[in-house]
Amino acid sequence: MRTRAVTRLPGAAPWVLGIMNVRGALLTVVDLSARLRGAPDGTPMFVMVVEGAGRRFGIGVESVQGVADIAG
């Protein structure tokens, strides 16, 4: 998914890109690079959806090499 579908949140941490609607559920989207480095490293163009342990969130990424469903 492209990040243009992400709605910014006023007052959110700089590494929180915002929220987006994914199949009727709100998904928090973060820039992991900005979170770990303390400042944005670039402009994420895509959102990778991560789900596990009953939680779901999105990570902004600059590119996508492939798609996989990893069960674990």
Side-chain angles (χ1 to χ4, degrees), residues 9-10 19-20 23 28 32 41-43 55 57 70:
L9 296 173
I19 58 172
M20 68 186 302
R23 299 183 182 133
T28 301
L32 192 56
D41 190 27
T43 303
R55 300 189 71 178
F57 61 96
I70 302 170

Side-chain angles (χ1 to χ4, degrees), residues 27-42:
L27 183 73
T28 301
V29 181
V30 299
D31 181 345
L32 192 56
S33 175
R35 176 66 174 126
L36 296 175
R37 297 174 201 251
D41 190 27

Side-chain angles (χ1 to χ4, degrees), residues 3 6-9 13-19 29-31 44 47 59-60:
T3 57
V6 175
T7 302
R8 304 275 313 166
L9 296 173
W15 49 271
V16 176
L17 296 175
I19 58 172
V29 181
V30 299
D31 181 345
V47 176
I59 298 175

Side-chain angles (χ1 to χ4, degrees), residues 1 20 22-23 27 47-51 56-59 68:
M1 285 170 244
M20 68 186 302
V22 176
R23 299 183 182 133
L27 183 73
V47 176
M48 176 177 65
V49 178
V50 179
E51 184 173 4
R56 177 194 260 182
F57 61 96
I59 298 175

